[in-house]
Amino acid sequence: MDYRDTAQEAAFRAELRAWFGQNIPPGWRDVIEDPAGRTEFRKQWHRTLHKAGYVAMSWPVEYGGRGLSPIFDAILGEETARADAPPLPGNVNFLGRAMWTHGTEEQKKRFLPMLLTGDAVWCQGFSEPEAGSDIAGLRTRAVLEGDEWVVNGQKMWTSGAHAADWCLLLVRTDPDKPKHKGISCLLTPMNVPGIEARPIYLANGEPETSEVFFDNVRIPRENMLGHRGGGWSIAMTTLAYERGPGDTGFVPKYQATLRRLEELAAERGRLADPAVRPALATAYIKGEALRLTVLEQLSLRVSGQLAGEEGSIAKLLWADAEQSIQHLAIELLGPDVWLGRAPQRLSAYLSSRPVSVYGGSSQIQKNILAQRVLRMPRA
Ligand SMILES: Cc1cc2nc3c(=O)[nH]c(=O)nc-3n(C[C@H](O)[C@H](O)[C@H](O)COP(=O)(O)OP(=O)(O)OC[C@H]3O[C@@H](n4cnc5c(N)ncnc54)[C@H](O)[C@@H]3O)c2cc1C
């Protein structure tokens, strides 16, 4: 694949640059610093992007997308990062993918528009206290009573649950079946009686994720996505699209951070420092390895191949690149970080730590690659 922009792609890139130049709300970072205004700001920005036609570039037109090649999603992600614009909620693309792949026509018509427009915020309820890496071991139960599923149990680490309107929820409907086959997926409104989301504050002080309790929560029968027992395949679709950083604009953000660190090293006279120079070179190599991996996976999407286990390569490289560059930043800034003179850097460093956990830990990505891509025998 030729990775250079075609004329149409270059025109789209130029259009985006012009649009971002006019439309990024000034001081948006300060606005989202405040948890009180954050959710409303994000919803508003999502609506603005949607009105401008910059959501779901590669989705089929009948589901509200623009029917373009996945390259346009990647360009959107890149230009969002380059312009330092607020990002679209990360889960729109992969939750949408799960809904349009597995949903009935009626569900697609009902749920996809609200996901696209930003009128509803969604969260993803997969992990539980005893089922993270081993999602198939989840225990949250749903029992059919008349025309309703009655849900009892607990989810863990559900990002954004406390501010969400809806949840893509995995539940066990058939405990007598083998564990992968007894799981189903419910499109669950978060405002019904019996749901309690308790925020978990991460090391950066942010309530980004929650534990969620379900106490006799009643969900209409027709809210089951796909068929009864089909939850595992929905989880795999979602995770496959969640694991590749191709559409997230991560690479340009990473490159911008690296450029800033090079400047910082120069300002502090440490460019030739034997502790710094190889670290900068390594960071550059990791960024390039990730960039090329992302491009290779993008070319698979363009040729029509669905996301699969190869997303684990990108997830692994992404986590490693992000954690090492944030670590390098902390090393370069030294006491400034610990004396509170670089709060954004400290926050970025702390936020990098769980990257090797969410979306599936790095150890699990290695297992997937060893067993399902390299076909190595299980130990
Ligand atoms: C900030 C954050 C946001 C998250 N957001 C969401 C969300 O929105 N929705 C959601 O459903 N979940 C979410 N998660 C949960 C995340 O997917 C899980 O934390 C992750 O899958 C690991 O599961 P666990 O925490 O139960 O750890 P465990 O599965 O208990 O693993 C503990 C350690 O053991 C290792 N390990 C486990 N099994 C194996 C094995 N077979 N081989 C080798 N090593 C192994 C793991 O790599 C890890 O280091 C989030 C987590 C975090 C930290």
Side-chain angles (χ1 to χ4, degrees):
M1 181 174 161
D2 183 348
Y3 295 135
R4 288 168 302 185
D5 284 349
T6 61
Q8 192 198 2
E9 289 157 10
F12 178 62
R13 207 182 275 286
E15 171 195 317
L16 279 174
R17 283 187 190 175
W19 189 84
F20 280 132
Q22 299 286 316
N23 290 282
I24 297 176
W28 66 270
R29 283 193 190 283
D30 296 337
V31 177
I32 64 163
E33 277 286 294
D34 175 11
R38 185 178 299 161
T39 305
E40 198 39 50
F41 172 82
R42 285 183 175 151
K43 272 192 178 178
Q44 195 49 50
W45 178 244
H46 189 153
R47 287 189 197 114
T48 306
L49 283 173
H50 179 256
K51 270 197 202 127
Y54 297 141
V55 176
M57 315 306 302
S58 65
W59 290 26
V61 175
E62 64 266 38
Y63 305 140
R66 286 179 58 177
L68 294 165
S69 137
I71 292 179
F72 288 80
D73 277 326
I75 293 175
L76 178 61
E78 280 172 22
E79 293 304 320
T80 303
R82 256 190 208 115
D84 195 26
L88 188 71
N91 61 14
V92 169
N93 273 318
F94 52 83
L95 296 188
R97 176 69 66 157
M99 287 180 206
W100 107 56
T101 308
H102 300 277
T104 60
E105 268 319 297
E106 208 183 337
Q107 286 172 338
K108 292 176 201 176
K109 282 195 189 114
R110 182 175 167 207
F111 290 102
L112 287 173
M114 62 165 124
L115 185 69
L116 283 179
T117 56
D119 288 338
V121 174
W122 283 76
C123 62
Q124 178 188 342
F126 290 8
S127 307
E128 298 186 0
E130 300 298 327
S133 300
D134 177 25
I135 303 177
L138 65 86
R139 293 189 192 156
T140 296
R141 279 282 275 132
V143 176
L144 193 59
E145 283 184 12
D147 274 343
E148 291 177 322
W149 291 101
V150 181
V151 180
N152 281 287
Q154 186 197 340
K155 292 289 162 181
M156 189 75 190
W157 304 114
T158 316
S159 296
H162 50 288
D165 305 299
W166 286 86
C167 181
L168 191 85
L169 182 69
L170 290 183
V171 288
R172 185 158 301 283
T173 45
D174 299 273
D176 299 335
K177 291 202 171 160
K179 61 182 188 173
H180 292 79
K181 295 191 173 155
I183 299 170
S184 303
C185 179
L186 294 176
L187 300 167
T188 301
M190 292 295 283
N191 63 353
V192 291
I195 298 185
E196 189 193 349
R198 295 184 198 155
I200 301 171
Y201 287 79
L202 299 183
N204 62 2
E206 293 292 337
E208 282 172 26
T209 185
S210 290
E211 47 184 348
V212 187
F213 298 86
F214 296 82
D215 180 11
N216 286 315
V217 175
R218 305 187 85 87
I219 308 297
R221 184 180 191 159
E222 65 267 19
N223 281 27
M224 179 168 284
L225 183 66
H227 61 87
R228 182 169 179 161
W232 181 251
S233 126
I234 295 171
M236 291 306 103
T237 305
T238 313
L239 289 171
Y241 281 89
E242 181 179 356
R243 283 176 182 157
D247 298 342
T248 64
F250 172 75
V251 172
K253 254 189 269 173
Y254 179 89
Q255 288 167 335
T257 307
L258 182 54
R259 278 195 298 276
R260 178 70 202 110
L261 293 191
E262 280 168 337
E263 285 161 16
L264 191 65
E267 280 161 24
R268 300 193 170 201
R270 295 189 64 192
L271 264 184
D273 183 335
V276 173
R277 199 171 177 79
L280 284 169
T282 305
Y284 176 81
I285 292 164
K286 286 183 178 183
E288 280 303 283
L290 179 62
R291 186 177 71 81
L292 294 170
T293 303
V294 166
L295 285 174
E296 190 188 13
Q297 293 182 3
L298 184 59
S299 65
L300 293 178
R301 295 299 89 70
V302 173
S303 66
Q305 190 171 313
L306 300 177
E309 280 102 12
E310 76 286 344
S312 293
I313 305 173
K315 173 73 190 0
L316 204 52
L317 293 177
W318 165 32
D320 179 45
E322 176 63 3
Q323 290 185 341
S324 33
I325 202 164
Q326 296 304 344
H327 186 82
L328 177 58
I330 293 290
E331 298 259 291
L332 272 172
L333 284 162
D336 283 352
V337 174
W338 313 115
L339 294 173
R341 292 198 285 257
Q344 285 190 345
R345 269 288 151 237
L346 179 58
S347 177
Y349 170 76
L350 293 173
S351 299
S352 75
R353 301 315 302 161
V355 181
S356 54
V357 178
Y358 57 65
S361 72
S362 290
Q363 289 81 3
I364 294 302
Q365 307 316 314
K366 287 180 187 167
N367 284 354
I368 292 171
L369 291 172
Q371 288 159 12
R372 294 194 228 147
V373 178
L374 301 173
R375 308 274 171 208
M376 289 165 75
R378 282 171 185 267

